[in-house]
Amino acid sequence: MRILVMGGTWFLGKHIAEGALAKGWQVATFNRGRSGRDVDGVESVHGDRTNRKDLERLAGYGPWDAVIDTSSSELPPRDVLAAVTALRPAASRWVHISTVSVYEGWPHQPLTDDSPLLECPPDADESYGYTGADGSPTQYGFQKAGGERAVSQAFGDAAVFLRPGVILGPGEYVGRLPWWLERTKRGGRILAPAPPEQRIQPVDVRDVAAFALTMAASSTSGGYNVTHPGGITFRGFLEACLNETGGAGAPVWVHPAVLIEQGVKQWTELPLWRTHAGVWAVDSSRAVAAGLACRPIADTIHDTWQWWAADGRPVDHPRWAEHGITPEKEAKILTSV
């Protein structure tokens, strides 16, 4: 098996490259060479995927049995379209890492793989779409839906779309789980979003990587939600964080209405907390039937803490600063409940 990983130097792309090499596959990566370093053993091609000449040069390194694209999250559909058009003659298959944000109903409604998608043309630029007053839909979701259409236009039935919700695990660059680990390590009274039995569905990056490789080698096509089928309660999540870090703390479960009244930003100030009914109601049964296997989330927490304690923050990323409530704001809320 010969594959190309668009990206390949950190988090999901790195785990995909490592997993493919462990299978004995031939792996090429394409990136700018600015964030992280390529995994030993890959054929590294450096260039800018928004540059037509770089894409044409890249195509000359083919052919590949499959391309796995992990690096299009910040690109408009027209740039995705340029890449798939340039690489179609050199690739038999395209596995596209997308997002649950492409759905019209996310995060308000429970979702299946067949839920309606947002509308966005495959050649749209970065201005297309909008973010709703309540934070949904998002311009990001429109853009990613357009990216999916661009891939479909070029690859048709040879295209696969993986739609994760939240990806956690060793190498995380956003900072959701590392923030909770550091917060529980600090101990004390910990502001926690009620109800404690709310189940969440984050998925381990290594399980997403393994599934991406499974789909690269398969002959199936279409969209697959990639969320943890069993999940974990928020209570179980925080207990696991406390157990791993040894923090002498106790969650204080505060009603969502109080958190909102106090101006706590959902999704970021208390990472993974959001009140919308569908945010953690994403069915992944199709992916499970196709080979998605998810380890217990407690294992993800354990391994992330081991990585975090040893290596720390992997790369500088602007989204890191978005996550986590300040100690001052947390203390002020806790004194009022």
Side-chain angles (χ1 to χ4, degrees):
M1 188 82 176
R2 193 165 190 263
I3 68 167
L4 168 67
V5 181
M6 302 290 278
T9 60
W10 45 294
F11 204 41
L12 179 57
K14 180 181 178 183
H15 284 290
I16 288 173
E18 291 174 341
L21 289 170
K23 289 177 175 289
W25 295 3
Q26 292 180 297
V27 182
T29 60
F30 180 69
N31 53 70
R32 294 177 298 176
R34 298 178 184 175
S35 300
R37 67 178 188 86
D38 284 291
V39 175
D40 291 339
V42 306
E43 178 183 23
S44 175
V45 183
H46 288 166
D48 187 339
R49 62 176 294 166
T50 65
N51 183 296
R52 180 178 58 84
K53 291 185 177 180
D54 283 356
L55 290 171
E56 292 173 350
R57 175 171 55 85
L58 173 63
Y61 286 83
W64 299 284
D65 297 300
V67 175
I68 303 178
D69 188 1
T70 71
S71 68
S72 66
S73 63
E74 307 299 328
L75 296 178
R78 67 179 181 185
D79 285 341
V80 177
L81 182 61
V84 294
T85 301
L87 296 178
R88 184 62 180 101
S92 300
R93 187 168 177 79
W94 192 281
V95 178
H96 196 70
I97 308 301
S98 186
T99 170
V100 294
S101 296
V102 298
Y103 290 112
E104 286 182 2
W106 193 85
H108 298 281
Q109 303 167 8
L111 298 173
T112 71
D113 306 279
D114 299 317
S115 297
L117 304 182
L118 295 167
E119 291 293 334
C120 180
D123 59 351
D125 65 17
E126 60 275 2
S127 67
Y128 191 92
Y130 64 91
T131 297
D134 70 342
S136 62
T138 63
Q139 187 173 41
Y140 172 74
F142 281 104
Q143 294 276 310
K144 292 292 283 185
E148 286 197 13
R149 285 174 172 79
V151 176
S152 290
Q153 181 171 303
F155 279 82
D157 289 340
V160 177
F161 305 101
L162 306 189
R163 298 170 183 147
V166 171
I167 304 176
L168 303 178
E172 183 196 338
Y173 63 90
V174 174
R176 294 184 178 103
L177 181 49
W179 185 84
W180 277 115
L181 288 166
E182 286 293 336
R183 177 61 194 91
T184 53
K185 177 185 177 182
R186 194 167 76 240
R189 300 175 75 220
I190 301 169
L191 183 64
E197 301 312 313
Q198 169 67 56
R199 299 197 76 83
I200 59 177
Q201 297 177 284
V203 63
D204 191 290
V205 62
R206 295 162 295 182
D207 299 333
V208 181
F211 186 56
L213 294 174
T214 296
M215 300 312 292
S218 76
S219 58
T220 59
S221 61
Y224 295 82
N225 295 332
V226 186
T227 56
H228 200 291
I232 191 172
T233 65
F234 224 112
R235 183 196 303 277
F237 175 81
L238 290 187
E239 286 177 349
C241 289
L242 284 163
N243 288 338
E244 288 301 328
T245 62
V252 178
W253 299 98
V254 178
H255 194 280
V258 175
L259 296 175
I260 293 170
E261 180 184 349
Q262 293 291 330
V264 178
K265 296 177 182 176
Q266 298 190 46
W267 210 233
T268 53
E269 285 195 299
L270 291 181
L272 308 180
W273 167 63
R274 198 165 182 175
T275 58
H276 302 78
V279 68
W280 297 119
V282 182
D283 176 50
S284 59
S285 56
R286 181 183 294 176
V288 171
L292 173 66
C294 291
R295 71 198 68 205
I297 294 172
D299 290 355
T300 302
I301 293 169
H302 169 79
D303 293 345
T304 302
W305 177 243
Q306 295 299 310
W307 158 76
W308 180 250
D311 299 325
R313 186 170 167 177
V315 295
D316 288 324
H317 194 279
R319 293 182 66 187
W320 194 278
E322 299 174 1
H323 292 89
I325 191 169
T326 66
E328 295 78 16
K329 185 173 182 178
E330 180 186 26
K332 181 179 179 182
I333 296 171
L334 287 171
T335 59
S336 66
V337 297

